[in-house]
């Protein structure tokens, strides 16, 4: 069973930065893609960033220029580096891994942007 564990959430002031980590229980290159999603209170879950096995990266328009995703196969870890955070970025951020039509999810980590 694939396990994904997120780290790095917390409280950050507006304009600040945060790096989230997602550690997978197996080789991340076994997945067709890995992604970060977020869900704010009262809103639908939205894709933040994704990276496929070939290294192609996509970002949501709302975070372009402020967010970078990267990975390290030796650590089976994917990161989400976020900067210039605003209260609108407050959400639970979840790591997702996809193999064909099967999706695996982490438990999520809370990111709160507030002064």
């Amino acid at each position: 069973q694939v396990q994904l564990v997120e780290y790095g959430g917390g409280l950050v002031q507006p304009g600040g930065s945060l790096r989230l980590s997602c550690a997978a229980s197996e080789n991340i290159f076994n997945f067709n893609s890995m992604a970060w999603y977020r869900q704010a209170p009262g809103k639908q879950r939205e894709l933040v960033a994704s990276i496929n096995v070939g290294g192609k990266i996509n970002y949501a328009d709302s975070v372009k220029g402020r967010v970078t995703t990267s990975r390290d196969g030796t650590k089976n870890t994917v990161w989400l580096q976020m900067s210039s955070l605003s209260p609108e970025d407050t959400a639970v951020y979840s790591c997702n891994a996809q193999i064909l039509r099967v999706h695996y999810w982490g438990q999520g980590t809370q990111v709160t942007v507030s002064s």
Side-chain angles (χ1 to χ4, degrees):
Q1 180 71 14
V2 173
Q3 292 185 332
L4 303 172
V5 180
E6 299 97 338
Y7 301 94
L11 175 64
V12 61
Q13 291 188 341
S17 299
L18 207 60
R19 187 174 82 156
L20 306 182
S21 303
C22 172
S25 60
E26 62 181 73
N27 188 337
I28 60 174
F29 291 102
N30 289 343
F31 307 124
N32 298 123
S33 67
M34 294 191 73
W36 289 95
Y37 286 78
R38 69 184 181 183
Q39 187 166 21
K43 294 187 177 181
Q44 288 190 330
R45 183 169 59 195
E46 64 171 346
L47 176 68
V48 178
S50 66
I51 180 168
N52 72 8
V53 65
K56 180 179 180 181
I57 295 174
N58 288 305
Y59 296 107
D61 288 342
S62 59
V63 301
K64 277 182 181 176
R66 302 189 296 116
V67 163
T68 302
T69 191
S70 59
R71 64 187 178 185
D72 186 336
T74 65
K75 295 180 172 63
N76 291 332
T77 298
V78 176
W79 293 277
L80 185 71
Q81 177 70 48
M82 303 185 290
S83 61
S84 301
L85 288 165
S86 72
E88 288 69 38
D89 296 310
T90 294
V92 175
Y93 286 71
S94 298
C95 180
N96 168 278
Q98 181 179 359
I99 301 176
L100 298 178
R101 297 182 180 182
V102 179
H103 289 261
Y104 300 94
W105 294 91
Q107 81 286 356
T109 185
Q110 176 70 44
V111 172
T112 302
V113 184
S114 175
S115 55

